[in-house]
């Protein structure tokens, strides 16, 4: 794949997450009953960064968790010839019933990952609200899903790929577009 453009560098990612943190606090009138849940893989470190920023702003610790959606995907049978999917651990220790759960992911594309995440989340309780925070919204929705908090809207063509690299999972912090 040919790399076309860098959309966010490390400083821009930091600024976007700071802005999203303030928006979460403002929309929820504080952080009471708010739980941040990262969608594996890159949603987890983004959720951790948001939690850290919100805690430094509000002075309160925020519960969180990690959500694996592998078994909830509607395209599981189409992903190659893998007999057994690579299932990762879900770790939500907080009771999410009647809480405001903010799902966190790196890129919002078709909406199918978010749909699967909501299904997986409901197996852990019944939140009073589910909100969505994403670092990048690239458009091309197949389901009627929208993010409540967006770091950057990046209009793309269908033959482009948006790649999010984070220091926790990759070499550095950046978001770039490649051509398929």
């Amino acid at each position: 794949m040919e790399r076309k453009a860098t959309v966010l560098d490390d400083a821009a990612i930091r600024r976007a997450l700071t802005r999203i943190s303030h928006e979460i606090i403002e929309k929820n009138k504080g952080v009471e009953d708010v739980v941040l849940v990262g969608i594996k893989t890159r949603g987890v470190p983004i959720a951790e960064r948001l939690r850290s920023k919100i805690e430094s702003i509000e002075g309160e610790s925020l519960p969180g968790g990690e959500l694996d959606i592998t078994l909830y995907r509607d395209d599981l049978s189409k992903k190659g010839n893998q007999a057994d999917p690579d299932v990762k651990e879900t770790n939500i220790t907080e009771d999410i019933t009647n809480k405001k759960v903010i799902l966190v992911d790196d890129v919002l594309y078709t909406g199918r990952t978010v749909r699967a995440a909501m299904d997986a989340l409901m197996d852990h309780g019944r939140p009073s609200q589910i909100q969505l925070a994403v670092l990048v919204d690239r458009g091309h929705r197949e389901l009627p899903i929208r993010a409540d908090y967006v770091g950057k809207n990046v209009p793309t063509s269908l033959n482009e790929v948006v790649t999010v690299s984070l220091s926790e999972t990759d070499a550095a912090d950046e978001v770039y577009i490649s051509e398929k």
Side-chain angles (χ1 to χ4, degrees):
M1 285 192 289
E2 180 186 334
R3 188 171 172 149
K4 289 174 63 173
T6 299
V7 178
L8 296 169
D9 61 12
D10 61 339
I13 290 172
R14 209 171 29 257
R15 285 190 302 273
L17 294 179
T18 299
R19 181 176 39 77
I20 289 171
S21 299
H22 283 282
E23 289 173 359
I24 288 170
I25 294 165
E26 186 176 338
K27 181 173 182 168
N28 293 289
K29 297 175 177 62
V31 293
E32 186 177 342
D33 292 329
V34 173
V35 179
L36 287 174
V37 176
I39 300 172
K40 298 227 175 166
T41 294
R42 285 172 186 78
V44 173
I46 293 171
E48 285 300 318
R49 291 182 190 191
L50 287 172
R51 182 174 29 240
S52 176
K53 286 181 184 296
I54 290 170
E55 287 175 1
S56 70
I57 296 165
E58 286 293 290
E60 293 181 45
S61 69
L62 204 58
E66 302 175 0
L67 191 62
D68 177 41
I69 61 158
T70 304
L71 297 177
Y72 294 88
R73 295 197 56 96
D74 61 2
D75 62 352
L76 191 60
S77 62
K78 297 177 187 173
K79 291 226 173 209
N81 294 329
Q82 234 177 298
D84 295 320
D86 183 20
V87 178
K88 299 169 186 78
E89 183 180 353
T90 290
N91 182 16
I92 300 176
T93 56
E94 180 77 12
D95 179 13
I96 62 168
T97 301
N98 296 320
K99 302 287 173 93
K100 298 173 192 170
V101 175
I102 301 173
L103 286 173
V104 182
D105 205 5
D106 56 350
V107 178
L108 177 57
Y109 182 30
T110 62
R112 293 185 180 277
T113 296
V114 176
R115 185 218 42 91
M118 288 190 293
D119 286 349
L121 197 60
M122 291 303 188
D123 282 350
H124 294 277
R126 188 181 187 285
S128 63
Q129 277 185 35
I130 298 175
Q131 300 170 18
L132 177 61
V134 296
L135 184 58
V136 175
D137 183 345
R138 65 168 289 188
H140 304 288
R141 226 61 91 241
E142 294 174 4
L143 300 172
I145 291 174
R146 66 164 178 75
D148 299 280
Y149 314 100
V150 178
K152 185 167 181 78
N153 287 294
V154 180
T156 61
S157 72
L158 290 173
N159 48 324
E160 290 177 321
V161 175
V162 175
T163 302
V164 174
S165 294
L166 299 172
S167 58
E168 294 91 339
T169 55
D170 311 292
D173 286 352
E174 68 176 332
V175 178
Y176 60 90
I177 297 176
S178 302
E179 191 79 32
K180 282 186 187 177

